[in-house]
Amino acid sequence: MTETTIESKRGTENEVLANLPWDANAPLLEVDNLQVEFHTRDGVAKAINGVSFTLDAGETLGILGESGCGKSVTAQAIMGILDIPPAKITGGSIKLNGVDLLQLDEKTRRHVRANKIAIIFQDALSALNPVFTVGWQLAELYRKHSGASRAQAKAKAVDLLKLVRIPAAEQRVNAFPHQFSGGMRQRVMIAMALALEPDIIIADEPTTALDVTVQAQVMQLLADLQKSQNMGLILITHDMGVVADVVDKITVMYAGDAVERADVYQIYERPAHPYTKALLESIPRVDMKGQELAAIKGLPPPLTQLPPGCSFQPRCRFAKDRCTTEDPPLYDVPGNRKSACHYWEEVFNS
Amino acid sequence: MSDPAMSLQEGPPAEQTEPAKDANRSLWGDAWYELKRNPIFWVASTMAIFVILLAVFPFLWTNADPSTCRLANSREKPSADHWFGYTFQGCDMWAKVVYGASKSLAVAALATTFTTIIGITMGTLAGFFPGWVDTIISRVTDIFFGLPFLLGAVVFLQLFQIRNVWTITTVLTLLGWTTLTRIMRGSVLSTKNKDYVDAARALGATNGHIVFKHILPNAIAPVFVLSTIALGGYIGAEATLTFLGVGFQQPNTTWGLLIQEGQPYALQGDPHLLVIPCAFVVVTVLAFILLGDALRDALDPRNR
Amino acid sequence: MGRYLARRLLQFIPVVVGTMFLLHYMTMLSIQFGGDPIRALFGDNPPPAQVIEAMRARFGLDNGCLEQKGNPCVGIFWDRMLQYLQFDFGINFRGREITDLVGERWPVTLRLTLIAIIFETIVGVILGVMAGLRKDKFVDNFVRFSTTLLIAFPTFVFGVIIQVLVALALGDWIKAQDYFPTWFKAMFTPVFLSDYPWLSLVIPGLVLGAFSLAAIARLTRTSLIENLRSDYVRTARAKGLAQRRVIGVHTLRNSLIPVVTYIGIDVGTLLGGALVTERIFNIPGVGGLVFQSVTQKDSTVVIAVVTMLTLVFLTANLIVDVFYAVLDPRIRYE
C-alpha cells in the first residue's frame, strides 16, 4: 500500500513489539472470559460478565446486540482505552498471538495500539479532532510511531487518502474534518485505522451515522481492504442487515453476556438462543409483508440490577422456573457452536 | 432493516447505568431531588436566609440603634459585650452591619428581578423570532455589552445628584440585562429545535402556547442559575460603587460605606473596622454563588 | 479567514458607534434628569450666574436640548464624534487637555493590566488543568473551593484586605529584615513607587487579576473535563499516543479556546477593576484619574476617559476574535 518508504529513526518501539513472546500457532485474537465493571455512584454495573471469542487472520467477526449490551465496552477493553476508573477489568484475558495484552505495562500496550490493533469509531465528526487538518491527524501516526519527518508523514497521509478512495487527495489532505461529508469522514477514519498496517481492525458501528447508500459504499471499502491486507476484522453493530453480507461468524451479546456464538449461516438458518431468535424475527421481511412484526417485549435490565439466573429470562418466551435461579453456562451446540440457554434444544428445534 | 427496539444509538456506559428514576418526575422535580442530597445547598441557603432576615427584620437582631453613636467609643476593639467593636464614629458595629444589610440587599434583589424579567423577555423574543426581531435585539445587546460594567456604572452614577436604591438599581439593571438575554436566547434556540416543539407545532399549537407551555419551562433553567449567582454579584457591585464614591452616601448605612470608612483606620491599626463589613459582603456573595452552583449541578449533574 | 475578518470588521464599526451613542445618550439623560453638573460642582456657594454661563458654554453644556427631557441631542453627539476623530477629547475643569492627562498616566495602567493578565492566565490555566486532570481528587477540590471563595471577594474587598495583610503586616516585617534586597522590599509596599514602576505594581496587579484568575481556572477545568470525555480524545488514545501528547496536544488546545474568548471580555472587567485597584493602592494611572475626577465632580473627564477605555475594550475584543479564528478552524471557514 505504501509508495513512500520510511526508515525508522527510533527503533525502540518496533524493538519492544518484536521482543514480545508472540506465538505463531495461537489464534490472532483470543478473548477469554473477559469481565468489566463500572463503578458509579449508584453501584457497580457489570458491563461485561465473561465474554469469550476468537478471531483469525482474514476473518470477520460480527458482535451483535442492543444498545448498552457491552459491545463497545468490549471493543474499548481490547484497545485498552477504557476510562479506568470508573471502569475496571476484573477478570479474563485478551491474547494477541498468545500474548495477554492485559498483562502488558501501559507503555508496551500503547505500542500495540495502531501498530497491531486499530479501531474505527461510529461518529467520525466527533471522533476527529476539529482543530487539526485531516492530513495532520493521519501524519501524526507516522511521526509518533515510525519517527517519520513531517514531509514524509504528509506524503504517507496522501497515500492513505488515495487508498480509501478519497478524490483529490493532495488537496483534501489539508482540509479540516468539518469540510468533509459524512461518508468521506468515515473513510478518513478507516485510513487512520489502516495507517500502520495493523493485524486487527475493530469497527464500532462504522456505518450507523451514515445514509443508507453511503453505508453500503463504506462497508464495501472496509471489506475490500480487509481482504487485500488479510486482517482480522471485528464488526460491532446492532444491525443484523449489515452483518449478514460481510461477516464470517457472529457473537451475540445481551446485557454483558455473550449468549450465542456461531457461523453466520448457522445463525440465520437456525438460532440456538431465544434472544437471537427474537432478533431475527424482528427484522422486517418482504416475503412477510402485511404480517405483524415480532418486536421483543420489554427492555434490557439495568446493568446495576441484573436479575438472578439468566439475564434474558424476563423477556424470554421459553423461560421456565430454572431460568430464574440458575445462570446458564455456554452449552455446546452441534456444528461447533455455543449457546447460553438451558433450553437451547427447544429453541433450536422450534 | 433493523429492530425498532434496537434503533437507539449506543451511548456511553455511564448513562445506561443511571438509577431507574421515577419516569414521571419533571426536570424541576429531579433538580429538587438532587438539591436535597447536596449539603452545600443547605449551608448556602442557611447563609442566604440569615442575610435576608437581617435585611428584612434588622430590629430582631439588635437592641442597639445604629444612629446613636458616642464618640467616646470610637474605634473600640471587639470585646465580650460587643463582639464586633465600635466604628470610627463610636457606633455599635453589629448594629451598623445589621442595618446595613437592607439597602445592599434591596438593590441586589431589585436589579436581579428586573434583569431577569428583561433577560427572559428579550431572550425569548430573539430566540423565538429569527429575522429582524432577533437581529435588532442581538445588535442592541452587543452595543450594551461593549460598555464595561463598572466603567459604565461610574459614568452614569456620578452624574446623578441623588443616589438612592432606585437610581443604583436602574444603572445596574441597564448594564446587567445583556448577559441574561444572551443566555436565554441561546437556551430558547436550542429548545426550539427539540422534537416536542415540532410536534406541538404540527398539532397546530399557537405561538403563545408553544412559548409558554413548551419552550419557557424547558429553557429557563440556565437563566435561574445565572440570576442566583448575579444576585451575589450585584451585592458586590453596589458595595464597589459605594466604595468608589458613586453609590450610597453618608448618612446612609451600608456595607460599602462601612468599608470605605474603615479602610484608612485599618491601615492605622484597627483592622476590625474593615474586616467585619468585608466579611459580611463576602459571606453574602458566597452564599448566592454556592446556591447558584448547587442549582446548576442539580439541573445538569453531568457538568459538575 | 479573509471573509471572516471582513465580516468581523464590518460588525465592529456599528458596535463602536452604537456603544459611543449609548454612552452619550445615557449621559444626556443623566444631565436632563439629574441636573446641571456645573452647578453641582459648586455646591452651596455658587459663583455669579455669568461665571456659570461661561463655564457652560466652555464645556458645551449650554445647548438647549439639555433642557428637554429624553432628547437624544444628536447634534452634540455628532460634534463630539468629530472631535474624538481628531483626538480632541476636551479639557478638564482646570483647563488641561484630557489627552495630556491620559498620556501621562496610561503607561502605569497598561503595566498594571499586563501584570494582571499574565498572572491570571498562567496561574489560572495551570490550576484549571491540574484540577481537570484530577477530577474529584484533592487538587480538584482544593481548586474548586479556593476559586469559589476568590470569586466571592469583590475586587475592592480583596484589595483592601491584601493591602492590610500583605503590604502592611507582611511588608513591615520584610522591611525590618536586613537580608532582603531593596527591590524586594519595594514589592511589598502599600503604595505605588515611581522608582520601581513594575515591582511596586506586582501586588496591585495580582489583586486586579485575582477574580479573573478564579474564573479562568474554573473555565479551563470545565472545558478540559468536557474535552477529556470527547470522542476525539478517545481517538488520540486509540492511536497509541503518549498520555502527555493526548493531553498536551489533543485536549489542551481545544480546551483553551473558551479561555481566549474569556480574556477578551475580561479586558473590560480589568479596566473597570483598575479604577478600584488604583484607588486603593494610590496608583497614578488612568483609573486613578477617573476616580479623582469623580471626587472632583469633573464629569467631562470621566466621560472622555471612559470613552477611551471603552474603545480599548472593543479593540481588544476584536483582536481576541481574530485570535479565536486562528485557534478554531470551524469559525474561520464558516
Side-chain angles (χ1 to χ4, degrees), chain A residues 3-211:
Chain A
E3 289 137 39
T4 324
T5 49
I6 293 168
E7 281 169 37
S8 180
K9 283 181 195 160
R10 301 179 303 179
T12 48
E13 186 167 316
N14 290 329
E15 276 165 36
V16 170
L17 286 177
N19 288 336
L20 288 173
W22 303 117
D23 176 4
N25 298 322
L28 178 58
L29 182 74
E30 186 176 14
V31 175
D32 186 42
N33 194 28
L34 183 67
Q35 291 165 20
V36 180
E37 290 177 351
F38 279 83
H39 291 256
T40 67
R41 59 176 191 155
D42 304 302
V44 177
K46 296 195 167 175
I48 308 182
N49 326 298
V51 165
S52 308
F53 55 80
T54 60
L55 177 75
D56 287 316
E59 196 176 40
T60 302
L61 165 74
I63 298 183
L64 194 73
E66 285 169 287
S67 301
C69 71
K71 298 172 304 201
S72 291
V73 176
T74 310
Q76 290 179 29
I78 297 173
M79 286 303 292
I81 54 168
L82 279 173
D83 282 313
I84 300 174
K88 192 179 170 195
I89 298 182
T90 48
S93 64
I94 301 170
K95 286 188 182 147
L96 179 69
N97 282 325
V99 176
D100 187 355
L101 299 179
L102 298 179
Q103 304 303 323
L104 298 180
D105 62 81
E106 173 55 26
K107 198 168 176 201
T108 320
R109 192 75 194 277
R110 225 177 64 213
H111 297 331
V112 171
R113 278 177 223 145
N115 275 312
K116 295 278 178 189
I117 313 179
I119 188 164
I120 299 166
F121 291 112
Q122 172 181 341
D123 180 6
L125 181 59
S126 61
L128 291 169
N129 196 321
V131 303
F132 297 113
T133 63
V134 158
W136 187 94
Q137 296 186 54
L138 290 172
E140 189 183 27
L141 282 161
Y142 297 110
R143 283 172 46 217
K144 294 299 146 190
H145 284 287
S146 336
S149 72
R150 276 173 196 273
Q152 285 171 325
K154 183 88 170 275
K156 298 270 284 177
V158 174
D159 291 347
L160 273 179
L161 292 184
K162 286 179 182 160
L163 183 73
V164 294
R165 300 169 205 159
I166 289 182
E170 281 87 357
Q171 287 86 52
R172 300 298 273 163
V173 78
N174 293 320
F176 289 92
H178 69 272
Q179 296 171 300
F180 283 78
S181 70
M184 286 296 149
R185 264 198 298 268
Q186 197 54 275
R187 284 164 193 259
V188 173
M189 280 303 289
I190 294 175
M192 195 176 276
L194 287 168
L196 301 179
E197 299 174 31
D199 300 333
I200 301 172
I201 286 192
I202 304 174
D204 188 357
E205 308 248 7
T207 58
T208 309
L210 304 176
D211 289 342

